[in-house]
Amino acid sequence: IELVPYHYFQMSQSTAIPVLIGFKNDVEKEFFEKFISVSGIGPKAACKALAEPFSSIAGAIDGGNETFLKGLPGIGARKAAEIVAKLRGKVGKYGLIRDGLIEKRKEHEDIKDEALSVLLQLQYKKSEAQDMVDKALQRSPGIETSEELLNEVYKEKKST
């Protein structure tokens, strides 16, 4: 794994604890730095608040959607208004972060894993089940659910 680090010291009365936060790329780190520039939002609070994809948060800020921002952990009505006031018009480019593709890929892997699990329960060998699922996905790349995937596997099995 390769991460882009953000480093800060968490200060208490007698100590300073070094903390590293890792981001997938420089763009996400840059968004984080803009987000913590809002008064009252430090790195620790921002980590909690950034529970949604960066592009969604940036879109909400740029669109002035305080309701969405209030739904983030640790962000109340007043803080949401401050975020919009300080960052609106400055974070539009972050709305283009392609984190939706990552979610789609993860969802696709979940469907594949679920179908594999069912085939293994039906006493198929792991390598055979994996092969059947891969072939079904090649034939029908638009499959969106594990049921559709299993139906595609079954169609092929039935025709052979």
Side-chain angles (χ1 to χ4, degrees), residues 2 36 38 42 48 51 85 93 95 97-98 117 119 143 157:
E2 207 171 296
I36 63 174
V38 175
K48 289 179 188 170
K93 73 177 184 178
I97 294 174
R98 300 185 72 181
S117 176
L119 291 171
I143 290 176
K157 203 73 176 150

Side-chain angles (χ1 to χ4, degrees), residues 7 9-10 20 32 39 53 56 66 87 102-103 112-114 116 141 149:
H7 180 262
F9 287 96
Q10 188 172 327
L20 288 174
F32 178 82
S39 175
S56 301
E66 292 179 23
L87 299 179
I102 294 165
E103 289 299 315
K112 190 174 171 180
D113 289 344
E114 195 174 321
L116 274 173
L149 180 53

Side-chain angles (χ1 to χ4, degrees), residues 9-74:
F9 287 96
Q10 188 172 327
M11 307 298 279
S12 67
Q13 291 176 342
S14 61
T15 60
I17 301 169
V19 178
L20 288 174
I21 301 170
F23 297 94
K24 289 184 252 175
N25 52 50
D26 289 316
V27 176
E28 287 185 354
K29 178 183 175 187
E30 196 177 306
F31 177 76
F32 178 82
E33 289 171 332
K34 285 224 186 276
F35 197 75
I36 63 174
S37 72
V38 175
S39 175
I41 298 181
K44 190 174 181 179
C47 283
K48 289 179 188 170
L50 297 175
E52 295 290 327
F54 286 78
S55 60
S56 301
I57 295 170
I61 292 169
D62 226 32
N65 187 347
E66 292 179 23
T67 306
F68 176 86
L69 295 173
K70 285 190 293 189
L72 298 173

Side-chain angles (χ1 to χ4, degrees), residues 110-128:
D110 290 345
I111 291 167
K112 190 174 171 180
D113 289 344
E114 195 174 321
L116 274 173
S117 176
V118 169
L119 291 171
L120 292 174
Q121 289 174 14
L122 294 172
Q123 305 301 311
Y124 285 99
K125 292 179 187 150
K126 186 169 183 160
S127 60
E128 183 182 14

